[in-house]
Amino acid sequence: MRILHFWPLDPFSRQVRLALEEKSLRHDLQLEVPWERPDDLVSLNPAGTTPVLIDESGGGRRVIVESRAILEYLEETTPTPCLLPGGPAERAEARRLVDWFDRKYDGEVNAYLLHEKLEKRAQGLGSPDPAALRAGRDHLRWHLDYMAWLLESRDGLAGPRYTLADIAAAAHLSCADYLGDVPWDAFEPVKHWYQRVKCRPAFRGLLTDKLPGTPPSAHYADLDF
Amino acid sequence: MRILHFWPLDPFSRQVRLALEEKSLRHDLQLEVPWERPDDLVSLNPAGTTPVLIDESGGGRRVIVESRAILEYLEETTPTPCLLPGGPAERAEARRLVDWFDRKYDGEVNAYLLHEKLEKRAQGLGSPDPAALRAGRDHLRWHLDYMAWLLESRDGLAGPRYTLADIAAAAHLSCADYLGDVPWDAFEPVKHWYQRVKCRPAFRGLLTDKLPGTPPSAHYADLDF
């Protein structure tokens, strides 16, 4: 059996959920609230962050911590379907984009939009700062512009096949979309890409997420938005 | 031929330099000053960050961007010596620790010490803020404590063999050590680990680094510090 410790609007947990679904790996979800530093989570991961995967599928008990480590672990233990296709250079390009979203987008978009709208509310840190929200939305447009450029200049985000780069991008963008912050119509290539990703069966679970007190945007679960 | 675009006290560039040396892969170093956003670097990596590896060793020209992508690329293209030894769970633990240093340590230590002492000076952003330096040093002690606990509770940082976890930890800590900020004597297990790492032939290049205007600490290149 597998258990994924996750928080619904954590883009890192979402990447692992998508990969588990793409690979048809059965798992239970264990909700965590990372900023409360719950004992069970901290004992599994001293950083106190989600996601953490408990894998008891092969006998024994493996604790796999941190999204990129988990994604690589799933590639190694369940290679089909492959989410890092191609040769070493193509795989490096997919990994570059995972890092792009996990560090650059995370610091420039999530640190503003998710922090202001979700983390501050959940942690009782006051209401969102309008200047920070504006900055987050500006940065988001810049990232969407970069994605549009990638999608127009080549076949697919990191290449013609669906990769961890698509999963990372979709996991991060889906959180901003939950909050209604993505100006899809101004970035047609990205909108078409996200429509395709959103239609994948692996995406269904994410679209049913509902955070108490913060309902999703009207079009969040709409496949034809 | 290989060319590594790097900045000397960038912990991410340092990881790739160490891995290239461990694998005896000949390469030239091309100095970059990332905050000046030089055209050559930005054209290779739109994020404008080091490291970037140009690999023309197999014919053709591959541009490999971002430290973790480069490290995995080197593992795939030059598997011996292996820097991600063991089975999937052991490899996941090494990758978890790489992420620990690249995101957690980076945000809690480098963002204070390297930013205040190096980046602000280099970018003309004023003198270091004493409160930020204190915070960075406090965080560093916490990380050293965690490393000491790891090293005392098992054989090696991520296991008995030298892995990317050692390389990531050493690359990050070596920058703080250049600045003289590591209280080695208060963390004996970490000191002994770093002494062993520092003696590896692959480490020699890093110990000759000298940043104009910011000389290394007195013991920086000393193998018996």
Side-chain angles (χ1 to χ4, degrees):
Chain A
M1 195 49 204
R2 295 174 199 86
I3 300 170
L4 181 68
H5 294 252
F6 85 117
W7 188 66
L9 284 197
D10 167 30
F12 299 90
S13 299
R14 286 187 161 219
Q15 292 178 57
V16 175
R17 290 167 70 191
L18 289 173
L20 286 167
E21 292 291 345
E22 289 290 344
K23 291 177 182 289
S24 305
L25 295 172
R26 291 180 60 184
H27 58 281
D28 287 336
L29 291 171
Q30 166 81 44
L31 178 70
E32 300 285 357
V33 183
W35 53 88
E36 293 178 355
R37 294 192 65 77
D39 288 343
D40 72 321
L41 181 62
V42 175
S43 72
L44 293 168
N45 175 15
T49 52
T50 50
V52 174
L53 178 69
I54 312 295
D55 185 0
E56 297 180 340
S57 65
R61 181 175 184 265
R62 294 167 166 181
V63 179
I64 314 293
V65 173
E66 192 267 316
S67 60
R68 286 182 79 171
I70 300 173
L71 295 170
E72 297 279 355
Y73 171 85
L74 295 176
E75 281 307 292
E76 291 180 0
T77 52
T78 308
T80 307
C82 178
L83 298 172
L84 276 174
E90 289 75 26
R91 295 158 63 87
E93 175 62 359
R95 289 184 174 117
R96 172 185 80 83
L97 285 167
V98 174
D99 185 75
W100 177 283
F101 287 98
D102 283 358
R103 284 202 293 152
K104 190 169 174 63
Y105 177 101
D106 188 59
E108 293 172 352
V109 181
N110 296 339
Y112 294 83
L113 298 182
L114 298 192
H115 177 70
E116 294 293 331
K117 288 190 165 187
L118 295 179
E119 293 166 13
K120 275 173 81 170
R121 171 179 302 202
Q123 298 175 53
L125 298 174
S127 50
D129 169 10
L133 291 178
R134 255 196 317 277
R137 290 189 188 115
D138 283 350
H139 299 164
L140 174 56
R141 292 182 76 89
W142 184 87
H143 279 275
L144 291 166
D145 200 44
Y146 177 58
M147 286 181 72
W149 177 80
L150 284 178
L151 290 162
E152 284 181 323
S153 59
R154 61 194 187 192
D155 185 13
L157 201 58
R161 289 174 60 192
Y162 190 72
T163 73
L164 292 182
D166 297 279
I167 284 182
H172 282 276
L173 273 183
S174 68
C175 293
D177 193 42
Y178 184 99
L179 299 172
D181 280 324
V182 187
W184 294 113
D185 290 336
F187 300 91
E188 283 288 328
V190 188
K191 180 176 179 173
H192 292 147
W193 163 84
Y194 192 61
Q195 280 173 330
R196 288 195 302 278
V197 173
K198 213 171 168 179
C199 287
R200 296 177 78 89
F203 219 82
R204 279 184 206 140
L206 267 57
L207 298 180
T208 64
D209 281 348
K210 283 197 173 57
L211 215 59
T214 310
S217 59
H219 63 269
Y220 173 69
D222 187 354
L223 296 183
D224 191 25
F225 55 102
Chain B
M1 196 48 202
R2 297 175 198 84
I3 300 171
L4 181 68
H5 295 252
F6 86 117
W7 189 65
L9 285 196
D10 167 30
F12 300 91
S13 300
R14 286 187 161 219
Q15 292 179 56
V16 176
R17 291 165 71 191
L18 289 173
L20 286 167
E21 292 291 345
E22 289 288 345
K23 291 176 182 291
S24 305
L25 294 172
R26 291 179 59 184
H27 58 281
D28 286 336
L29 291 171
Q30 166 80 45
L31 178 71
E32 300 286 357
V33 184
W35 52 88
E36 293 178 356
R37 292 191 66 77
D39 288 345
D40 73 322
L41 181 62
V42 175
S43 72
L44 293 168
N45 175 15
T49 51
T50 50
V52 175
L53 178 70
I54 312 295
D55 184 0
E56 297 180 339
S57 64
R61 181 176 186 266
R62 294 167 167 183
V63 179
I64 314 292
V65 173
E66 191 266 315
S67 60
R68 287 183 77 170
I70 299 173
L71 294 171
E72 297 279 356
Y73 171 85
L74 295 176
E75 281 306 293
E76 291 180 1
T77 51
T78 308
T80 307
C82 178
L83 298 173
L84 277 173
E90 289 74 28
R91 296 158 63 87
E93 175 62 0
R95 288 182 175 119
R96 173 185 80 83
L97 285 168
V98 174
D99 185 75
W100 177 283
F101 287 98
D102 283 358
R103 285 202 293 153
K104 190 168 175 62
Y105 178 101
D106 188 59
E108 293 172 352
V109 180
N110 295 340
Y112 294 83
L113 298 182
L114 297 192
H115 177 70
E116 293 294 330
K117 288 190 164 186
L118 294 179
E119 292 166 14
K120 275 172 81 169
R121 171 180 301 200
Q123 298 175 54
L125 298 174
S127 49
D129 169 9
L133 291 179
R134 256 195 316 278
R137 290 188 187 117
D138 283 350
H139 300 164
L140 175 55
R141 292 181 75 89
W142 184 87
H143 279 274
L144 291 166
D145 201 41
Y146 178 57
M147 288 181 71
W149 177 80
L150 285 178
L151 290 163
E152 284 181 322
S153 59
R154 61 195 187 192
D155 185 13
L157 200 58
R161 288 174 60 190
Y162 191 72
T163 74
L164 291 183
D166 297 278
I167 283 182
H172 282 276
L173 273 183
S174 68
C175 292
D177 193 43
Y178 184 99
L179 300 172
D181 280 324
V182 187
W184 294 113
D185 290 334
F187 300 91
E188 282 289 327
V190 188
K191 180 176 178 173
H192 292 147
W193 163 83
Y194 192 60
Q195 279 173 330
R196 289 195 302 276
V197 173
K198 212 170 168 180
C199 287
R200 296 178 79 90
F203 219 82
R204 280 184 206 137
L206 266 57
L207 299 180
T208 65
D209 281 349
K210 283 197 173 55
L211 215 61
T214 308
S217 59
H219 63 270
Y220 172 69
D222 187 353
L223 296 183
D224 190 25
F225 56 102

